[in-house]
Structures are given as structure tokens and as C-alpha cells.
Amino acid sequence: MDPAPFDPDHVAVFRKTVTETDLVLFAGITGDFASNHTDEEYMRATPFGTRQIHGALIVGFMSAVAARALEDARPEGLTPVSLGYDRIRFIRPVFPGQTLSFRHEWDSYDPESRRAIAAVQAHRKDELVAVARHVVTWVRGDSDRTQPPA
């Protein structure tokens, strides 16, 4: 059996202040102009009091911390490929101007399928705001290029 193609003790981190520009550009790129994200006047009258950052943008930042985790997980002959994120949950709203800290921590590795699971968390100060499970596989050589292992 192959050893894990990553250091199981490595924890990747990423920190980002989510700006007004991030919100507006993300809305434009995705076409998600929902009032929760783009209508300040409407949101002032809600319990939130202001616009919220898109959840999908937070998942994008999770991808940024995952990319950092995978930088050192590229042994000769193997290429890491993200299969996606499971169990994504948005626990608390995030607002423009808030700084988030992301953490990617390996949980498990199956050498037979070359598949790993990592816990990803987003925090605002000491508050957990979002979580997900990152699923990764490693493909080997030419034979695996078009299809990840089942």
C-alpha cells in the first residue's frame, strides 16, 4: 500500500478580509444578485441589518485554503484532484468588511482508492461561520488522466 501523498499532520491556513469589491464582483461573475447580497436598503429592514456575503464565495475561499494544502501533496507520479466538498454548512452570516480565517486539516486517507478527506473550517475571530468536508483523490500517470478512481 502507498503511504499518504501528504503530511497528515499538516494544517493549511488562509486569511481574508471579505470586501465590498469581493461581494460585487462575485455577484457579477455568478449572476447571483439576490437581495440578501445586493440590496442594502432591503437588508437593513431584516434581522441581519446589512447585506450578506454569498455562501458560494465562502466555499471559493475554502478552495483557496485547499489549494495551499495540496501544494505539498504532489509526490512524483501523482496529481491531486479535488472531487468536491461534502456537508457544507453556513453556520453564521458573514458581512462585508469581516476577516475570515480558513483551516484545512486532513482527517483520513484510503491508500487503495488514493482518496482523502479533510475538514475545512471558516472562522470569524473565535466564531465558526462555515464548515465542509473536502474530498481529494490522486491520479497516477497516463492511465488515470480522464477518470478519477471510483
Side-chain angles (χ1 to χ4, degrees):
M1 294 280 177
D2 292 333
F6 56 87
D7 175 357
D9 296 324
H10 177 70
V11 176
V13 294
F14 172 71
R15 205 171 135 95
K16 168 82 170 112
T17 299
V18 189
T19 66
E20 173 76 17
T21 301
D22 295 327
L23 185 151
V24 171
L25 289 174
F26 191 81
I29 290 167
T30 62
D32 182 350
F33 295 102
S35 295
N36 291 37
H37 312 302
T38 60
D39 189 337
E40 183 66 31
E41 189 173 312
Y42 167 76
M43 287 305 289
R44 276 194 199 123
T46 72
F48 298 104
T50 191
R51 291 163 299 135
Q52 301 172 350
I53 297 299
H54 298 76
L57 179 54
I58 294 170
V59 174
F61 295 139
M62 289 178 173
S63 180
V65 76
R68 290 179 179 205
L70 292 174
E71 279 304 310
D72 296 324
R74 300 174 183 277
E76 185 68 33
L78 290 176
T79 303
V81 177
S82 176
L83 296 178
Y85 296 84
D86 292 339
R87 299 181 185 147
I88 300 168
R89 296 293 178 267
F90 304 114
I91 299 163
R92 290 181 177 81
V94 175
F95 305 109
Q98 294 183 327
T99 299
L100 301 179
S101 297
F102 295 85
R103 208 178 144 82
H104 184 281
E105 190 168 357
W106 297 110
D107 276 350
S108 63
Y109 177 68
D110 176 21
E112 192 170 307
S113 66
R114 295 191 307 267
R115 188 173 287 189
I117 305 288
V120 184
Q121 295 182 343
H123 289 88
R124 176 183 53 229
K125 295 185 181 176
D126 292 331
E127 291 183 309
L128 187 63
V129 298
V131 297
R133 309 282 292 161
H134 184 210
V135 183
V136 182
T137 191
W138 282 260
V139 294
R140 182 185 306 277
D142 292 336
S143 64
D144 289 349
R145 281 198 181 157
T146 58
Q147 296 292 326

